[in-house]
Amino acid sequence: MRKLIVPALVLAAASVAAPSFAQSYNRPAPPHQGTQHAGYGAWQSINARQANLDRRIDQGVRNGQLSRREATRLRGEFNSLLRLEANYRRGGLTAWERTDLDRRFDRLSAQVRNERRDYDNRRG
């Protein structure tokens, strides 16, 4: 059930705020690279980052890099971030709010990366 809710929230957010995704924050992607992580070149939409984080958490659980406890904690932080984004979007995203969301997504992305690489849940 939970796997259906997050993509539904992402889709709902995308349909409401689609016009704002046309902005590139004056950092256009080179034509041969497309969108990349926000810190490594081109800007990536908030919804794309959400979908990417959700996918990475799922993969970590499937391949044993994340324990259920780690995944539950990361998903809790992910869902808190979704709620914060929904609150920000009510009045339209300001530049400060976009920056705040980008910073929070960067931090959560780093947490996912670190948890997947910490070998806590590996056998052998």
Side-chain angles (χ1 to χ4, degrees):
M1 179 73 176
R2 178 178 223 138
K3 287 187 179 184
L4 296 175
I5 291 173
V6 173
L9 287 173
V10 171
L11 183 61
S15 64
V16 171
S20 68
F21 297 143
Q23 297 176 351
S24 67
Y25 301 123
N26 298 321
R27 294 184 343 190
H32 65 284
Q33 290 182 338
T35 59
Q36 299 172 348
H37 184 273
Y40 300 104
W43 178 80
Q44 189 177 42
S45 74
I46 291 171
N47 287 345
R49 293 186 78 182
Q50 287 172 345
N52 186 29
L53 276 171
D54 187 44
R55 179 186 54 77
R56 288 172 54 207
I57 293 170
D58 282 342
Q59 282 179 340
V61 171
R62 276 195 310 271
N63 67 20
Q65 291 177 328
L66 291 175
S67 69
R68 295 279 179 200
R69 183 181 299 193
E70 289 170 332
T72 299
R73 185 182 53 78
L74 291 168
R75 285 204 187 283
E77 293 181 32
F78 179 74
N79 289 331
S80 294
L81 194 49
L82 291 177
R83 285 189 297 276
L84 178 64
E85 180 199 2
N87 287 336
Y88 282 173
R89 285 191 187 277
R90 283 192 187 126
L93 286 174
T94 65
W96 183 89
E97 290 168 337
R98 281 190 195 106
T99 302
D100 184 48
L101 287 171
D102 277 338
R103 180 182 53 78
R104 290 172 188 260
F105 274 113
D106 287 343
R107 188 174 61 224
L108 183 56
S109 179
Q111 287 175 348
V112 170
R113 182 175 48 254
N114 291 336
E115 290 292 346
R116 287 182 69 179
R117 293 180 180 174
D118 68 1
Y119 298 99
D120 281 353
N121 199 38
R122 304 273 170 85
R123 293 190 176 102

